[in-house]
């Protein structure tokens, strides 16, 4: 179990250094979610694992690192693709939920 | 952006799905590798957009989940084509305009002559007409080199002729052996020199120093008014060169024969029969009205554009309007004199001013008059030349 953890850490480190060397987003290599926000009106998430809840006030998205929650008003899924989701509306809060 | 354009080009559907669990459907769609966008929560379900290519699979998915759904709208290329069909008249007209413009741009609409000095523009145009080059010709049928050669052969005074197409214009630029006078800016010091061998009959110096006197004979290139006002030598030398200006005239007399003038003028509301000659694709078509009056009074008009509705097209025609002499009125003496004056001025050129004109008329046996003209005129014999250039 310990070995597995170490291996995972080591893999992350290698990926991190590779991403730094080639100046690319770490998330693209590791498969971790990346979030891009344009002010309060748009939020783009890549490498998500699915939608858990979708209402105009709240969108909960499953990711590798936990559940990501976007709260606001008039939220709308502008685009939904295999690895990417774009949420538009008046975003008030975007954060990981506490485990 | 690119994706939006692609979506617009492809056909896409707007769906309304009544479900209590929109997340489930969205996740299944995402896992199926389909793309959806504009997902919004509505009263009892959601609305979304998807590509028509994904529609059968999404339809199967929705049916398997037992969801109630419907296609509310179809957008994209398919709808666009339907909308375009609605405006097919306008689209067809726009396309027709484009095609017509494209076709007409292949023709010569007008002939333009530049640099003609000793030769009149009309002479050049007549020469072009004689060699079959006129408005309405197809551009690709015209050989520019051939036109240039024919002009240079016809007019010995030409040292070069350039023929170019500028859009639908055929531009002829002529360079005469006696290169045309250059008009210099007033900041350039120039002399006025004689353009030909002549006798100076009148000289009026506005600026500079008169180099000749009235009554003196001059040869071509002699200085008439000098711009060099320098005098003295050594330390007392004064040097000043100016842009000389003035009027130097030579009085001449000329006689012309064979100037023709119509003796009659169509009366108001006079009816006529016309003979039209069309020039198209280098061919000549003549269309004549029936019952042309015998020995008519003819009024010519050249190079008229054919008009379709309110637009003129690059097909030209010459028209001869034949009036019955009974419906015409004889021209007044003043009208005849005026026409003879204009024709004589055209023959003399713009450097000459008519001072006196006398003429005699005789009938040509028809409705026209032949004039024999004796004209006294003054001709400006000066042209500018920068000081020191080719001094004689």
């Amino acid at each position: 179990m310990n070995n597995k953890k170490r291996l995972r850490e080591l893999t992350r480190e290698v990926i991190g250094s590779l991403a730094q060397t080639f100046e690319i987003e770490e998330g693209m290599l590791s498969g971790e979610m990346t979030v891009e926000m344009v002010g309060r009106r748009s939020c783009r998430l890549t490498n998500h694992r699915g939608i858990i809840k979708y209402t105009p006030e709240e969108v909960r998205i499953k990711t590798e690192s936990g559940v990501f929650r976007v709260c606001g008003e008039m939220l709308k899924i502008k685009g939904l693709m295999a690895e990417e989701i774009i949420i538009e509306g008046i975003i008030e809060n975007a954060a990981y939920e506490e485990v | 952006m690119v994706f939006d354009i692609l979506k617009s080009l492809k056909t896409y559907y707007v769906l309304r799905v009544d479900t209590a669990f929109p997340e489930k459907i969205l996740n299944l769609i995402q896992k199926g590798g389909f793309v959806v966008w504009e997902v919004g929560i509505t009263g009892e379900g959601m609305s979304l957009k998807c590509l028509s290519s994904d529609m059968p699979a999404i339809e199967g998915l929705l049916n398997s989940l037992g969801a109630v759904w419907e296609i509310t709208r179809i957008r994209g290329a398919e709808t666009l084509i339907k909308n375009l069909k609605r405006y097919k008249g306008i689209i067809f007209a726009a396309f027709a305009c484009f095609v017509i413009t494209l076709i007409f741009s292949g023709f010569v609409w007008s002939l333009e002559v530049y640099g003609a000095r000793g030769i009149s523009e009309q002479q050049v145009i007549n020469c072009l007409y004689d060699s079959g080059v006129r408005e309405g010709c197809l551009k690709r049928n015209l050989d520019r080199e051939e036109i240039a050669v024919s002009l240079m052969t016809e007019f010995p005074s030409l040292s070069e002729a350039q023929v170019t197409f500028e859009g639908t214009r055929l531009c002829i630029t002529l360079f005469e052996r006696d290169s045309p006078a250059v008009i210099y800016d007033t900041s350039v010091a120039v002399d006025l020199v004689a353009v030909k061998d002549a006798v100076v009959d009148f000289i009026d110096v506005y600026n500079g120093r008169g180099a000749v006197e009235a009554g003196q004979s001059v040869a071509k290139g002699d200085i008439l008014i000098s711009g060099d006002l320098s005098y003295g030598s050594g330390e007392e030398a004064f040097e000043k060169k100016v842009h000389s200006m003035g009027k130097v005239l030579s009085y001449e007399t000329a006689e012309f024969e064979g100037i023709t003038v119509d003796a009659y003028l169509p009366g108001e509301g006079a009816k006529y029969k016309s003979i039209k000659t069309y020039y198209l694709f280098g061919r000549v078509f003549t269309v004549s009205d029936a019952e042309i009056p015998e020995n008519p009074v003819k009024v010519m008009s050249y190079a008229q554009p054919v008009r379709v509705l309110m637009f003129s097209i690059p097909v030209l025609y010459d028209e001869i309007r034949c009036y019955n002499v009974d419906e015409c009125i004889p021209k007044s003496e003043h009208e005849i004199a005026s026409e003879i004056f204009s024709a004589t001025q055209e023959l003399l050129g713009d450097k000459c001013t008519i001072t006196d004109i006398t003429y005699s008329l005789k009938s040509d046996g028809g409705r026209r008059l032949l004039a024999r003209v004796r004209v006294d005129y003054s001709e400006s014999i000066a042209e500018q030349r920068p000081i020191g250039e080719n001094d004689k």
Side-chain angles (χ1 to χ4, degrees), chain B residues 238-386:
Chain B
F238 172 77
E239 194 172 306
K240 189 175 184 185
K241 287 174 180 168
V242 297
H243 182 88
S244 61
M245 288 188 280
K247 191 189 276 185
V248 186
L249 303 175
S250 171
Y251 297 138
E252 307 273 352
T253 301
E255 285 192 14
F256 299 106
E257 275 187 69
I259 294 176
T260 55
V261 182
D262 288 311
Y264 289 88
L265 199 66
E268 207 172 306
K271 287 177 184 166
Y272 63 87
K273 301 285 179 185
S274 66
I275 301 167
K276 287 180 181 172
T277 310
Y278 294 90
Y279 300 91
L280 189 64
F281 303 115
R283 295 186 179 191
V284 181
F285 304 91
T286 303
V287 181
S288 175
D289 285 347
E291 298 169 10
I292 300 286
E294 217 170 290
N295 202 6
V297 173
K298 292 177 179 176
V299 177
M300 319 267 197
S301 53
Y302 298 101
Q304 302 286 313
V306 172
R307 293 181 78 86
V308 176
L309 298 174
M310 63 181 98
F311 305 103
S312 48
I313 59 171
V315 179
L316 299 179
Y317 66 94
D318 297 339
E319 186 181 20
I320 303 170
R321 289 183 176 179
C322 301
Y323 292 88
N324 195 323
V325 72
D326 298 336
E327 293 184 59
C328 295
I329 47 171
K331 276 184 185 168
S332 69
E333 203 175 313
H334 175 75
E335 281 168 333
I336 291 170
S338 173
E339 275 190 38
I340 291 171
F341 185 89
S342 302
T344 310
Q345 182 66 67
E346 200 173 308
L347 287 169
L348 289 172
D350 56 3
K351 289 204 95 178
C352 300
T353 308
I354 294 172
T355 52
D356 189 27
I357 188 165
T358 52
Y359 60 87
S360 59
L361 296 168
K362 66 174 181 183
S363 171
D364 71 341
R367 306 292 179 199
R368 293 165 82 83
L369 299 169
L370 288 173
R372 183 191 169 92
V373 179
R374 187 176 188 282
V375 61
D376 295 332
Y377 62 94
S378 64
E379 183 180 3
S380 172
I381 57 167
E383 73 175 8
Q384 294 175 352
R385 189 177 69 192

Side-chain angles (χ1 to χ4, degrees), chain B residues 68-350:
Chain B
V68 180
W69 64 277
E70 64 170 344
I71 296 169
T72 53
R73 208 173 284 173
I74 302 169
R75 285 278 172 88
E78 204 174 287
T79 326
L80 185 72
I81 290 164
K82 268 186 194 167
N83 287 338
L84 288 179
K85 276 181 185 168
R86 209 181 297 164
Y87 301 107
K88 60 185 172 192
I90 297 168
I91 293 163
F92 177 75
F95 180 71
C97 284
F98 173 74
V99 171
I100 289 167
T101 311
L102 199 71
I103 292 169
F104 284 171
S105 64
F107 290 88
V108 172
W109 278 71
S110 61
L111 305 175
E112 287 179 15
V113 181
Y114 301 102
R117 188 166 175 251
I119 311 159
S120 75
E121 279 184 30
Q122 197 54 50
Q123 278 177 294
V124 177
I125 287 173
N126 287 344
C127 173
L128 292 171
Y129 280 4
D130 291 344
S131 53
V133 180
R134 57 162 57 239
E135 296 89 342
C137 277
L138 263 175
K139 280 199 281 190
R140 64 189 167 99
N141 286 352
L142 299 178
D143 185 339
R144 290 185 295 163
E145 283 301 310
E146 202 178 296
I147 296 167
V149 169
S150 74
L151 285 171
M152 286 163 72
T153 315
E154 180 70 22
F155 303 105
S157 64
L158 286 182
S159 54
E160 171 65 347
Q162 284 177 358
V163 181
T164 51
F165 290 116
E166 283 182 17
T168 54
R169 294 179 298 156
L170 178 69
C171 300
I172 315 279
T173 310
L174 304 175
F175 299 90
E176 294 181 42
R177 196 165 289 153
D178 298 324
S179 44
V182 181
I183 306 297
Y184 291 95
D185 191 71
T186 49
S187 61
V188 180
V190 294
D191 293 325
L192 290 187
V193 299
V195 290
K196 64 173 193 175
D197 298 349
V199 176
V200 176
D201 291 305
F202 176 86
I203 178 162
D204 192 3
V205 181
Y206 305 153
N207 196 22
R209 179 174 49 81
V212 292
E213 288 179 0
Q216 193 177 325
S217 294
V218 290
K220 185 182 174 186
D222 282 352
I223 295 175
L224 304 171
I225 299 174
S226 173
D228 189 356
L229 303 178
S230 309
Y231 61 82
S233 58
E235 284 184 3
E236 289 176 357
F238 172 77
E239 194 172 306
K240 189 175 184 185
K241 287 174 180 168
V242 297
H243 182 88
S244 61
M245 288 188 280
K247 191 189 276 185
V248 186
L249 303 175
S250 171
Y251 297 138
E252 307 273 352
T253 301
E255 285 192 14
F256 299 106
E257 275 187 69
I259 294 176
T260 55
V261 182
D262 288 311
Y264 289 88
L265 199 66
E268 207 172 306
K271 287 177 184 166
Y272 63 87
K273 301 285 179 185
S274 66
I275 301 167
K276 287 180 181 172
T277 310
Y278 294 90
Y279 300 91
L280 189 64
F281 303 115
R283 295 186 179 191
V284 181
F285 304 91
T286 303
V287 181
S288 175
D289 285 347
E291 298 169 10
I292 300 286
E294 217 170 290
N295 202 6
V297 173
K298 292 177 179 176
V299 177
M300 319 267 197
S301 53
Y302 298 101
Q304 302 286 313
V306 172
R307 293 181 78 86
V308 176
L309 298 174
M310 63 181 98
F311 305 103
S312 48
I313 59 171
V315 179
L316 299 179
Y317 66 94
D318 297 339
E319 186 181 20
I320 303 170
R321 289 183 176 179
C322 301
Y323 292 88
N324 195 323
V325 72
D326 298 336
E327 293 184 59
C328 295
I329 47 171
K331 276 184 185 168
S332 69
E333 203 175 313
H334 175 75
E335 281 168 333
I336 291 170
S338 173
E339 275 190 38
I340 291 171
F341 185 89
S342 302
T344 310
Q345 182 66 67
E346 200 173 308
L347 287 169
L348 289 172
D350 56 3

